[in-house]
Amino acid sequence: MSEPPLSFPPIDAYAFLSDTHTTALVAPDGAVEWFCVPDAAGDAVAARLLDRDTGGRFTLTVAGCPAPRRRYRPDTLVLENDWAAPSGAAAGEDLLAVRPGAADRPIHAERALVRRLRITDGAAGPRRADAPARVRGTPGALAARR
């Protein structure tokens, strides 16, 4: 008997990141499950939102911790994460990098996903698990595969 498919979190449980050119969706467990580069029409390098097995994801978490407590930094799309474990605590940020632009386009997209984690107490152990999408293609092509 085969294993049941992994369930999908409700769409409103995902955090949204943007740099004005592309977007990323971060699942409640801290995995980036949707990310296209270099822009929203580009190839999906993380598309676990569409396919739990081959879609790919970028996970940043702390060993032994449940899902992080999350919030947006006020007036930004910077996602702040807090993890608490018996052995310590950690804090992190997820964002799509931008910098000041020109007068006609005040925000310049760096087109880079930034994920930072720092230990704030004890000896919390960071864990990273990257699994880029095994199937390349535009979002429309990935959706059509399903």
Side-chain angles (χ1 to χ4, degrees), residues 11 27 49 55 94 120 126 131 134 144:
I11 194 68
L49 181 71
D94 294 322
T120 57
R134 293 191 301 251

Side-chain angles (χ1 to χ4, degrees), residues 14-133:
Y14 286 84
F16 174 80
L17 307 177
S18 179
D19 65 1
T20 74
H21 284 74
T22 194
T23 59
L25 293 176
V26 184
D29 66 359
V32 173
E33 291 192 358
W34 182 255
F35 183 43
C36 293
V37 293
D39 54 36
D43 282 349
V45 294
R48 189 174 181 212
L49 181 71
L50 298 178
D51 187 322
R52 301 314 264 178
D53 295 323
T54 63
R57 51 73 178 114
F58 303 109
T59 302
L60 183 62
T61 189
V62 174
C65 286
R69 193 178 83 229
R70 307 181 319 166
R71 69 196 162 280
Y72 288 103
R73 187 171 296 153
D75 302 319
T76 73
L77 288 177
V78 175
L79 181 64
E80 297 179 324
N81 306 284
D82 292 312
W83 288 270
S87 61
E93 295 89 26
D94 294 322
L95 61 112
L96 286 168
V98 297
R99 64 177 164 83
D104 63 330
R105 188 174 282 229
I107 297 174
H108 176 79
E110 292 290 335
R111 300 173 192 238
L113 174 65
V114 177
R115 308 195 82 198
R116 182 171 72 166
L117 180 86
R118 64 188 181 286
I119 307 306
T120 57
D121 184 46
R127 299 191 96 170
R128 189 181 112 201
D130 299 338

